[in-house]
Amino acid sequence: MGASLVPARVHRTHPILFSCVLAITVISLWCARHILHDAYTLATMPMIWPRHSKSFFLSAEVDGFDLTFANYSIDQVSAAPFEDRVPPVLHHISLGSGAAEHSKWATVRQSCLDIHPGWEAMIWTDETSDAFVAEHFPDLHDMWTTYRFPIQKVDALRYMVLYHYGGVILDMDLQCKRALGPLRRFEFVAPAAHPTGFSIGFMMASKRSEFVGKLVGNLRRYNKHWIWLPYPTVMFSTGCHYASTIHAFQSNRSELKILAGTKENPRMHSLNGPVSTPIFNHLGSSSWHSFDAAMITSAGRHLSWLLPFFLVGGVGGAFCVIRRTRRRRTGKAEPWAF
């Protein structure tokens, strides 16, 4: 007699258990939708940044602008015959322990004041900046005073004073080689950063610029201890990557100009490291970067091909599902959309 065949026992997932796991997952994603959205925007900024770049990268073809500045007078303080949209105000920031170090840059700062005669010059110290934030941005004052890293206070203050007064924000180690008048015709101008985005050590903007207002308005939302490391925390909460992300997700970037370079020299105006550009000598460097900056930069360089899979497929996918579901049901975008 042959061996009897005993049917294998089939293990089935209990429908109640499956429903509970699914419900917990959905609830978790919904509760984390804000941070998922923010992580998604930060992660995908490098991929979104180049889109429609022809419209916002300053050029002779689109804007009739000479990127070499050879056709402009060294002491041209106005955009005439164009309208001056940027007020004649120079802002320099010197906060905390960096104030003593910044004193050595006094002659460098003076070079910018001398080449812009008649412009208002403002130097922001611990006392003046604290009073300014408390008076004009009281809802952000507590957060601003408790930032983990001093550079975050500097970065956030850049956006606040630029929004409130308009004008030009300059790092203390930028030596002016010529006046900035030709750029005053644009609502917003900042130099391109390498490899993507823009640098915030030099920015120009009109008073109450809508875009700069969004840089201020999103500070609290992105104020997180990103990846538990100093460098990403600064860059993603207040630094260049943060500002570039807000820029990248604007529906119309044509008025938010980025100063890059010519086809022959695309990094002509880049301020990465000690360099000389047509308008500045950048004499210093970012001394606050810690060991994790090099680590992240190296990882990004060697593992960049994995970025779409890990970030877009994971965080981005979860966010998009939630966002599209809500749009189908309500026909409205999330209230925290840019």
Side-chain angles (χ1 to χ4, degrees), residues 141-154:
H141 185 256
D142 288 345
M143 180 188 71
W144 184 78
T145 57
T146 56
Y147 269 130
R148 292 174 181 268
F149 306 103
I151 189 63
Q152 290 177 288
K153 294 183 67 176
V154 174

Side-chain angles (χ1 to χ4, degrees), residues 156 255 268:
E255 292 295 317
M268 178 182 291

Side-chain angles (χ1 to χ4, degrees), residues 12-299:
R12 290 190 177 89
T13 302
H14 198 285
I16 296 179
L17 177 61
F18 176 79
S19 299
C20 289
V21 172
L22 180 61
I24 291 173
T25 302
V26 171
I27 292 172
S28 299
L29 287 173
W30 177 253
C31 292
R33 67 190 185 281
H34 291 178
I35 193 170
L36 287 174
H37 169 269
D38 299 344
Y40 166 79
T41 58
L42 291 167
T44 57
M45 185 278 288
M47 290 171 278
I48 293 175
W49 178 260
R51 294 179 183 175
H52 311 295
S53 60
K54 187 176 181 180
S55 69
F56 63 86
F57 269 59
L58 273 173
S59 68
E61 295 77 15
V62 176
D63 306 290
F65 193 85
D66 178 14
L67 292 169
T68 69
F69 282 76
N71 292 323
Y72 305 124
S73 171
I74 289 179
D75 57 1
Q76 182 178 333
V77 294
S78 172
F82 298 97
E83 175 189 359
D84 286 326
R85 302 176 69 182
V86 175
V89 186
L90 295 175
H91 301 276
H92 287 86
I93 299 175
S94 182
L95 302 183
S97 59
E101 181 182 352
H102 289 160
S103 63
K104 70 180 183 181
W105 301 112
T107 56
V108 176
R109 175 177 178 264
Q110 191 63 42
S111 70
C112 295
L113 273 56
D114 291 343
I115 208 167
H116 295 91
W119 284 34
E120 184 177 2
M122 307 185 75
I123 180 76
W124 294 95
T125 64
D126 290 307
E127 294 75 17
T128 57
S129 59
D130 186 79
F132 167 78
V133 176
E135 178 181 357
H136 298 290
F137 300 94
D139 55 326
L140 298 178
H141 185 256
D142 288 345
M143 180 188 71
W144 184 78
T145 57
T146 56
Y147 269 130
R148 292 174 181 268
F149 306 103
I151 189 63
Q152 290 177 288
K153 294 183 67 176
V154 174
D155 290 345
L157 186 64
R158 299 180 205 267
Y159 311 134
M160 294 181 197
V161 299
L162 200 59
Y163 176 72
H164 185 77
Y165 292 101
V168 184
I169 284 282
L170 293 170
D171 272 354
M172 296 289 288
D173 56 8
L174 286 177
Q175 182 181 52
C176 292
K177 297 168 63 175
R178 58 168 58 243
L180 302 171
L183 293 168
R184 292 179 64 192
R185 56 187 270 205
F186 305 108
E187 176 191 338
F188 176 86
V189 180
H194 179 75
T196 191
F198 68 88
S199 298
I200 61 174
F202 159 55
M203 294 182 289
M204 300 177 64
S206 58
K207 185 176 181 178
R208 303 281 178 174
S209 162
E210 181 181 359
F211 168 64
V212 179
K214 290 181 179 181
L215 292 178
V216 175
N218 281 284
L219 285 171
R220 186 177 297 281
R221 174 172 162 183
Y222 282 83
N223 182 32
K224 300 176 179 66
H225 198 188
W226 294 100
I227 321 179
W228 301 281
L229 291 171
Y231 184 77
T233 293
V234 171
M235 292 300 290
F236 296 165
S237 65
T238 61
C240 300
H241 197 106
Y242 160 77
S244 300
T245 296
I246 304 302
H247 187 292
F249 280 86
Q250 297 307 299
S251 58
N252 181 5
R253 296 193 274 170
S254 61
E255 292 295 317
L256 311 177
K257 298 298 184 180
I258 300 301
L259 187 62
T262 61
K263 293 180 180 179
E264 296 74 23
N265 184 10
R267 296 177 63 179
M268 178 182 291
H269 290 279
S270 173
L271 296 175
N272 292 65
V275 294
S276 181
T277 75
I279 53 180
F280 296 116
N281 287 322
H282 186 208
L283 305 178
S285 60
S286 301
S287 59
W288 60 270
H289 287 199
S290 58
F291 74 95
D292 49 320
M295 180 187 72
I296 291 171
T297 301
S298 176

